[in-house]
Amino acid sequence: MTENQSAQPPSGPAAIAGQTVFITGASAGIGAACAHAFARAGARLLLAARRQDKLRDLAAALQKEGSPAVHTITLDVRDAAQVSATLGALPEAWRAIDVLINNAGLSRGLDKLQEGKPEDWDEMIDTNVKGLLYVTRAVVPGMIERGRGHIVNLGSTAGHMTYPKGAVYCATKAAEKSISEGLRQDVLGTPVRVTSIDPGMVQTDFSKVRFRGDEERAAKVYQGVTPLQPEDIADAILWAVTRPAHVNISEMLITSIDQANSLLFNR
Ligand code: NAP
């Protein structure tokens, strides 16, 4: 081994053991799957969502799966004051965040723009765009100060190609793409890495939330296709954050075998 190689921090799944990983929207779907994957890899987990009961149940399971420590916080990412107060008041042991997974997000409604509901637009923009910004703003300065850190933002195929009746959700994910690109440029020269993970259709509560609890309509979204599972995305995120420190995975566009892009499915 050369001197240079021995100076490299460890990479591969073992590299995440003992590191502090902060996941927003950890109470369900992709966020919860990430929590399980990182627990098995030995990471310390800081978990945020609005539904604290879900996080409490999850925390108990994660410690059994191998996480050395789990801390849960109630957080509505849309509330700028709450984000800054809660993250500013983290217990000492949870302040040094190594990895932030900006996963909290949602869609509301599937309507033509000219028939859409402004309250749905507000909720999507406030959560997927402004929430991501508030959390990032609170966490990145500490990463720069400590000289280490990785931001993983959840984008979507929707941010690459807009689909009918989804203009505003797609716009929030196009914004995520721009914000990830911008942040990557703004932290250039520091060791902080920025990755956008852009999944196609993943089978989670996403459609149930979009259709406000209409399970039948939500189930139809996944009928006749093999969708991605949240574990597939967690696996990709774990891989992206465990590359050697000089490797930045900028963007991963991931679909199931039955999806070509935002519009084309094999049903
Ligand atoms: P999900 O199962 O509905 O989970 C969404 C998570 O976000 C929940 O834990 C929810 O927690 C949290 N959340 C929503 N609003 C929040 C808020 N205001 N403050 C804090 N947490 C909030 O959906 P998912 O599919 O896992 O979605 C996760 C991310 O992946 C989203 O950004 C989504 O846009 C993206 N994505 C999903 C798909 C897909 O097909 N499923 C595809 C591409 C991208 P609480 O309700 O407990 O707060």
Side-chain angles (χ1 to χ4, degrees):
M1 189 177 273
T2 67
E3 207 175 303
N4 237 357
Q5 281 169 321
S6 64
Q8 283 268 341
S11 59
I16 203 71
Q19 290 199 36
T20 300
V21 178
F22 175 25
I23 306 172
T24 68
S27 59
I30 295 168
C34 287
H36 287 295
F38 281 88
R40 287 193 292 271
R44 303 171 78 245
L45 291 164
L46 176 60
L47 307 177
R50 293 164 302 178
R51 289 171 295 172
Q52 199 54 211
D53 54 328
K54 296 249 178 214
L55 291 185
R56 261 196 304 273
D57 294 347
L58 181 64
L62 297 172
Q63 281 179 317
K64 287 188 199 128
E65 288 168 18
S67 176
V70 183
H71 184 67
T72 65
I73 51 178
T74 310
L75 196 67
D76 185 336
V77 298
R78 294 172 298 177
D79 185 337
Q82 195 193 87
V83 168
S84 132
T86 306
L87 298 184
L90 282 174
E92 185 63 38
W94 291 96
R95 288 197 189 148
I97 294 163
D98 297 302
V99 177
L100 162 62
I101 305 178
N102 269 320
N103 164 78
L106 81 184
S107 64
R108 286 294 196 194
L110 190 64
D111 301 299
K112 292 188 176 178
L113 191 77
Q114 62 272 28
E115 293 161 5
K117 298 182 188 67
E119 59 272 26
D120 286 347
W121 305 343
D122 286 343
E123 193 174 357
M124 289 187 276
I125 293 168
D126 288 351
T127 309
N128 302 358
V129 183
K130 291 162 75 181
L132 180 147
L133 287 170
Y134 299 149
V135 175
T136 304
R137 179 66 183 84
V139 171
V140 173
M143 289 181 165
I144 293 174
E145 242 175 68
R146 291 185 297 277
R148 56 186 287 140
H150 198 146
I151 311 293
V152 178
N153 292 330
L154 264 292
S156 171
T157 45
H160 294 252
M161 186 190 279
T162 306
Y163 53 82
K165 302 183 179 175
V168 177
Y169 176 72
C170 294
T172 67
K173 292 302 177 180
E176 177 282 332
K177 192 170 183 291
S178 293
I179 291 166
S180 298
E181 277 172 21
L183 180 62
R184 203 173 300 115
Q185 295 172 50
D186 292 342
V187 297
L188 191 64
T190 79
V192 175
R193 298 186 278 179
V194 182
T195 299
S196 180
I197 298 286
D198 303 349
M201 181 193 283
V202 187
Q203 194 165 21
T204 64
D205 289 344
F206 181 84
S207 297
K208 209 163 77 184
V209 172
R210 165 167 257 171
F211 300 129
R212 296 190 181 276
D214 184 339
E215 306 242 7
E216 212 179 306
R217 193 170 175 203
K220 281 198 184 123
V221 173
Y222 309 107
Q223 247 166 35
V225 290
T226 301
L228 292 168
Q229 294 303 315
E231 293 74 22
D232 299 322
I233 303 308
D235 185 39
I237 293 175
L238 183 60
W239 181 82
V241 304
T242 52
R243 295 311 86 211
H246 69 284
V247 178
N248 189 95
I249 306 296
S250 296
E251 197 173 277
M252 286 176 79
L253 183 65
I254 312 165
T255 63
S256 91
I257 193 70
D258 279 342
Q259 179 174 8
N261 55 41
S262 288
L263 295 169
L264 194 59
F265 291 85
N266 172 46
R267 280 190 201 269

